[in-house]
Amino acid sequence: MVSAPHEAMHRIFQECPGLFSRLSDVLGLELPPLTSAEPLTVDLTETEPLERRVDTLLRIETRNDGPFLLIVEAQGKKDPGKTASWPYYVTYLNNKYRLPVLLLVICQDHATAAWAARPLTIGLPQWPTVTTRPLVAGPHNMPVITNVAEARKDLALATLSAITHADNPDVDAILKTMSVALRDTPESIAEPFVELIAQGLGNRPAAQQWRNLVAVDLSFYTSPLSEEIRDEGRAQGREQGRAQGRAESVLLILGARGIDVSDATRDKVTACYDPELLRRWLVRAAFVTGSEEIFGEETVADR
């Protein structure tokens, strides 16, 4: 199953095809000035019943050296199958479009990045016939951006940096920088970056930190993530309201029956938000002779 971080790592190039040109320093690659970039179909299926798809495929135009194709692959872990599929992608696309092909692999951990960067050879050890050399961007070479001005200068690069550094110990500072940088950005521009960062963090602990930042710093946005957070907040508020009402009912019944309610009992009841537990206490409140007895393990049927 394709994970959310996997989608975020390559989809950002669909949202911002020109992002590749800003990775030149990171990748150690000299490129001519790029003039345009457009997404192409990712389907590499042939007439045989064998389906092959790259994650993202772009046709990029340059000012002086003509166009080339850029394959972007998101790689979350080592996969021996890529030893065969990546060279296939490169040679197939070169043959189909008759254009130079670059393969860029985006990773979120050092071990996968080191594995992905190895040249892939086809042929004999003493004479490789085809060699595929992926470019790799990951936590080993992507900048850690914790300066708001730097993030605002290139939001796409800063977003990719946040995604690739999802496991960085300083990820909280990185995410806070992004939330501040996006705060004054028009919603139509900021929305895809908000969602891509959420996807890129997956189920890591930092994902909740990003949700909190979106809820506070970017609370005025109407992106799917912000709407989801608002819905959760409203649902939580309703649950807390129901729990509070049930807690008040427990105390009212005890008081109406003339039972003295200790401070410890009152504090425990009002601090509880478990609806099932409050329901049991509410039933017991109609029968007990002392307020602390509502916390007993016996049921009403046992009395």
Side-chain angles (χ1 to χ4, degrees):
M1 180 180 294
V2 176
S3 66
H6 176 279
E7 289 297 285
M9 283 190 283
H10 73 87
R11 274 191 53 232
I12 188 171
F13 289 88
Q14 297 177 13
E15 294 286 344
C16 307
L19 172 60
F20 179 65
S21 65
R22 277 102 76 190
L23 292 180
S24 299
D25 292 340
V26 169
L27 301 171
L29 182 68
E30 291 188 11
L31 291 173
L34 308 186
T35 57
S36 66
E38 63 172 308
L40 301 177
T41 177
V42 300
D43 192 349
L44 308 186
T45 307
E46 300 184 74
T47 53
E48 300 177 8
L50 178 64
E51 182 176 312
R52 298 182 186 270
R53 290 181 181 271
V54 298
D55 288 331
T56 288
L57 178 62
L58 304 173
R59 176 190 170 108
I60 295 181
E61 299 284 344
T62 67
R63 190 173 300 165
N64 302 316
D65 293 357
F68 66 90
L69 300 181
L70 176 66
I71 304 170
V72 184
E73 285 279 284
Q75 198 63 35
K77 61 182 179 180
K78 300 176 183 179
D79 181 359
K82 299 298 184 181
T83 303
S85 58
W86 283 346
Y88 172 85
Y89 296 163
V90 172
T91 54
Y92 173 85
L93 289 169
N94 176 258
N95 183 67
K96 178 178 180 178
Y97 291 95
R98 303 296 180 181
L99 291 174
V101 182
L102 287 180
L103 169 62
L104 173 62
V105 183
I106 311 296
C107 303
Q108 289 180 296
D109 67 272
H110 291 272
T112 303
W115 166 83
R118 298 176 305 167
L120 304 174
T121 60
I122 299 174
L124 299 177
Q126 65 273 31
W127 193 270
T129 305
V130 176
T131 300
T132 302
R133 298 175 57 206
L135 295 163
V136 179
H140 64 294
N141 59 2
M142 288 295 294
V144 175
I145 299 177
T146 54
N147 180 279
V148 174
E150 186 179 354
R152 283 181 177 147
K153 189 183 303 181
D154 193 334
L155 290 172
L157 182 64
T159 297
L160 182 62
S161 176
I163 292 170
T164 54
H165 287 290
D167 293 317
N168 190 303
D170 295 326
V171 67
D172 286 356
I174 296 170
L175 296 178
K176 180 59 179 177
T177 299
M178 285 303 302
S179 70
V180 175
L182 291 168
R183 188 184 299 162
D184 299 325
T185 303
E187 184 176 343
S188 59
I189 297 174
E191 179 181 335
F193 299 133
V194 172
E195 301 298 325
L196 284 166
I197 291 174
Q199 288 184 353
L201 295 173
N203 58 3
R204 295 172 172 83
Q208 186 57 51
Q209 168 70 1
W210 182 242
R211 294 174 71 86
N212 294 340
L213 290 169
V214 171
V216 177
D217 291 348
L218 307 175
S219 58
F220 51 87
Y221 281 167
T222 57
S223 67
L225 177 63
S226 60
E227 286 302 307
E228 179 184 334
I229 292 171
R230 292 189 189 102
D231 289 342
E232 289 176 358
R234 286 190 284 266
Q236 185 178 17
R238 288 192 294 270
E239 285 297 322
Q240 290 178 347
R242 282 194 288 267
Q244 184 178 7
R246 190 165 289 180
E248 291 175 353
S249 296
V250 172
L251 299 175
L252 283 171
I253 289 176
L254 291 172
R257 295 184 57 229
I259 296 175
D260 182 52
V261 179
S262 67
D263 290 342
T265 297
R266 185 179 303 276
D267 291 344
K268 187 172 182 178
V269 171
T270 55
C272 179
Y273 289 98
D274 183 333
E276 180 57 30
L277 189 55
L278 285 167
R279 186 193 67 79
R280 291 202 299 270
W281 294 349
L282 183 61
V283 172
R284 291 173 184 171
F287 297 92
V288 296
T289 57
S291 64
E292 289 79 7
E293 293 178 24
I294 64 171
F295 307 128
E297 291 300 321
E298 74 278 7
T299 63
V300 174
D302 293 329
R303 287 188 167 274

